[in-house]
Amino acid sequence: MDTQTLQDCLADLDRDLLQRDEAVRLLLLGALAGEHVLLIGPPGTAKSELARRLHRVFGGARYFERLLTRFSVPEELFGPLSLKALEEDRYERLTDGFLPTAQVAFLDEVFKANSAILNALLTLLNEREFDNGSGRVAVPLISVVGATNDVPDDDALQAFHDRFALRVPVGPLAQDRFTALLQLPAQLSQPQPRLRQSDLDALRQRAQAVVLPPPVIDLLVKARAFCEAQSVAVSDRRWRKLVGLLQVQAASRAGAATASAPTQVDAWDLWLLPFVLAARPAQGPGLKDWFMARVAQALPVDVVWLQRAVEAFEKQVEIEESAPATATDDSAGKLALARSMAAPGSEQVLVRRLAEQARKRYSLLHVQARLAQLDEVRERAAAALQTVKATSNMVTAQAAAHLWLPPQWRDAISAVHAANVSAVAQLVARADAVHEAFAALPMDAAMEGGAPPAVVLTD
């Protein structure tokens, strides 16, 4: 299985679906890793469509689907009792065509099943085995996709809830996608069968050799501390499941590894954290923000110092531009006289000339001192702009190169960094405009005087 095949699978799964790029990636990754996925959301949000598409990706895979209720009986999932076996005093089920023989399964409203069904599912999901009569048989299960409207509060269901390594919120479409929803074709395109069991076996074998490098381990340690601070309870077993998913993700997107350069988990692979560690959908956004800050560096740039500096200089140049001439200069009187005596049509030119003369004049030393102090701010601003541009280019390139990162995450990351570049660039432009304004102040070459007090700046 190569990278192109995976890209084709993801494109097939996502085609004609809107705002489901997270879900399709997590479904496919869960299946590749042999883990189960829980879709959490209201009816009508394409949960069953997602599961059916996942099944179609695997060529020749058997599929099973059921809607569970509190009245569901084991026969609906595991098959009817064998009458022939009963005649021979054996309690066995005819499982062909039912869940024990499926490779991909979709269980809707999975938490509404009764305890008899849930207990049987626990073993089937975790050990990939089914108790049939007096024996336990292996099942060919690749992945079970469960669906629920709400996460259960019942403590008795927590063990079953924990069997789903990935928990994926699936909500209604945003308002800006409603028109696109109305324009979807009547028959949605379906994935092509591209993967087989042999592909999964080879990938999982490669994943065992994937290394967790020290920087990623350090991030995971910080993630655990963040979870503890936010009261997000994560079991040791779930941390181990996360590592397994990270290794499969890294193995699937990496080229041929060598002994000297083994495949490693990348920091960007940690975008999975909200979907593995969050026990409830409400906990996911905090973990996503943690990833955005720690890995994607997608935080508003801190340029308070530059903002205050530019504002201080803007205020100072405004004061100095509007300052009237000194008391010894009669330009102001001349201006008033011109306005009263000027003939119609000639007033504007004369008034403009005299208004310029009525402005306060500054010494060369004064203007040079202002420009010198402002140049220090402009140099810092230019350096800050170069830094945010370099960070933006680096981060957006890394995000774009990651095979599994959802496009909506890439767009959000790019938007934050573009906004940072724009914010700093605007402040640089304002500083340049202030520089031009100081340079344009009226000067008197013969005027003497010391340098003015520096504009007070605070970082």
Side-chain angles (χ1 to χ4, degrees):
M1 177 171 52
D2 55 20
T3 300
Q4 186 59 53
T5 299
L6 282 177
Q7 289 176 331
D8 292 340
C9 288
L10 291 172
D12 282 353
L13 287 167
D14 204 23
R15 191 172 291 113
D16 290 341
L17 291 181
L18 303 174
Q19 292 183 333
R20 296 294 176 260
D21 50 349
E22 288 179 350
V24 299
R25 281 158 176 74
L26 294 164
L27 280 172
L28 183 59
L29 180 61
L32 296 180
E35 296 291 355
H36 310 299
V37 183
L38 180 65
L39 302 178
I40 308 167
T45 50
K47 296 191 293 295
S48 59
E49 174 66 18
L50 286 165
R52 292 166 192 155
R53 287 185 176 221
L54 178 65
H55 158 244
R56 292 187 179 96
V57 166
F58 295 95
R62 302 186 73 174
Y63 180 68
F64 179 82
E65 179 177 326
R66 279 295 183 275
L67 171 64
L68 301 182
T69 71
R70 58 184 179 139
F71 302 110
S72 297
V73 294
E75 284 75 13
E76 296 179 48
L77 274 74
F78 310 118
L81 292 173
S82 169
L83 297 178
K84 183 176 181 180
L86 286 174
E87 291 176 354
E88 299 174 359
D89 296 329
R90 289 182 290 109
Y91 190 87
E92 295 178 358
R93 295 187 180 278
L94 300 175
T95 58
D96 189 41
F98 291 86
L99 182 58
T101 60
Q103 289 166 283
V104 178
F106 175 59
L107 302 180
D108 200 2
E109 296 297 346
V110 67
F111 294 109
K112 291 186 177 179
N114 56 54
S115 59
I117 291 176
L118 292 177
N119 289 336
L121 284 173
L122 281 173
T123 302
L124 191 144
L125 267 61
N126 203 45
E127 281 82 26
R128 296 297 203 283
E129 293 179 334
F130 175 66
D131 292 324
N132 196 7
S134 60
R136 177 171 284 193
V137 296
V139 299
L141 197 60
I142 295 173
S143 180
V144 167
V145 179
T148 182
N149 294 342
D150 300 293
V151 175
D153 292 321
D154 189 349
D155 290 341
L157 295 175
Q158 294 312 304
F160 186 65
H161 180 234
D162 197 53
R163 290 300 186 272
F164 294 95
L166 292 158
R167 296 125 168 200
V168 187
V170 182
L173 293 180
Q175 183 63 36
D176 61 355
R177 303 298 290 163
F178 181 67
T179 301
L181 174 67
L182 299 179
Q183 296 173 339
L184 287 175
Q187 294 295 327
L188 302 182
S189 59
Q190 297 298 328
Q192 298 296 316
R194 302 181 188 275
L195 301 177
R196 298 191 176 277
Q197 185 63 48
S198 57
D199 298 316
L200 302 185
D201 295 339
L203 175 62
R204 293 171 189 173
Q205 183 67 31
R206 293 203 308 272
Q208 294 179 11
V210 171
V211 176
L212 276 177
V216 172
I217 292 176
D218 182 61
L219 283 170
L220 290 173
V221 171
K222 289 182 171 64
R224 187 184 187 197
F226 176 81
C227 288
E228 291 175 350
Q230 299 297 315
S231 299
V232 178
V234 184
S235 66
D236 293 343
R237 175 172 60 186
R238 186 154 288 273
W239 284 108
R240 289 298 305 156
K241 283 184 176 293
L242 172 62
V243 170
L245 286 162
L246 293 173
Q247 289 174 314
V248 169
Q249 184 179 205
S252 68
R253 61 172 173 74
T258 64
S260 59
T263 302
Q264 295 187 348
V265 173
D266 186 81
W268 286 91
D269 293 326
L270 299 183
W271 76 274
L272 299 179
L273 264 61
F275 308 100
V276 179
L277 304 183
R280 296 185 169 277
Q283 298 171 342
L287 286 161
K288 181 177 179 179
D289 291 344
W290 184 91
F291 171 87
M292 289 293 188
R294 290 282 184 170
V295 179
Q297 303 178 52
L299 290 172
V301 63
D302 183 7
V303 287
V304 174
W305 65 269
L306 178 56
Q307 177 81 27
R308 290 176 177 171
V310 170
E311 289 174 351
F313 276 103
E314 286 175 336
K315 183 177 181 180
Q316 185 63 38
V317 78
E318 181 182 353
I319 292 172
E320 297 185 5
E321 283 179 328
S322 60
T326 61
T328 59
D329 192 338
D330 64 350
S331 298
K334 292 178 181 179
L335 177 59
L337 182 62
R339 283 175 172 161
S340 64
M341 298 180 60
S346 64
E347 178 184 350
Q348 288 187 349
V349 176
L350 182 57
V351 169
R352 189 163 53 245
R353 288 177 180 173
L354 290 176
E356 180 65 25
Q357 293 178 11
R359 295 174 63 193
K360 181 178 179 179
R361 294 295 195 269
Y362 296 90
S363 68
L364 179 61
L365 182 59
H366 177 102
V367 173
Q368 289 177 337
R370 288 280 185 249
L371 295 178
Q373 187 184 8
L374 181 56
D375 282 340
E376 294 178 8
V377 173
R378 293 172 70 213
E379 288 175 7
R380 291 182 63 186
L385 182 57
Q386 285 211 334
T387 299
V388 295
K389 281 183 176 179
T391 301
S392 175
N393 293 336
M394 177 191 69
V395 170
T396 53
Q398 291 174 349
H402 196 276
L403 173 63
W404 290 94
L405 192 68
Q408 61 177 300
W409 287 49
R410 296 175 194 160
D411 293 343
I413 292 166
S414 297
V416 172
H417 285 283
N420 286 343
V421 172
S422 177
V424 179
Q426 288 177 21
L427 290 172
V428 168
R430 286 169 60 184
D432 290 342
V434 174
H435 188 275
E436 293 177 4
F438 274 122
L441 286 175
M443 286 190 294
D444 185 345
M447 183 178 291
E448 297 180 358
V455 177
V456 177
L457 305 180
T458 57
D459 283 351

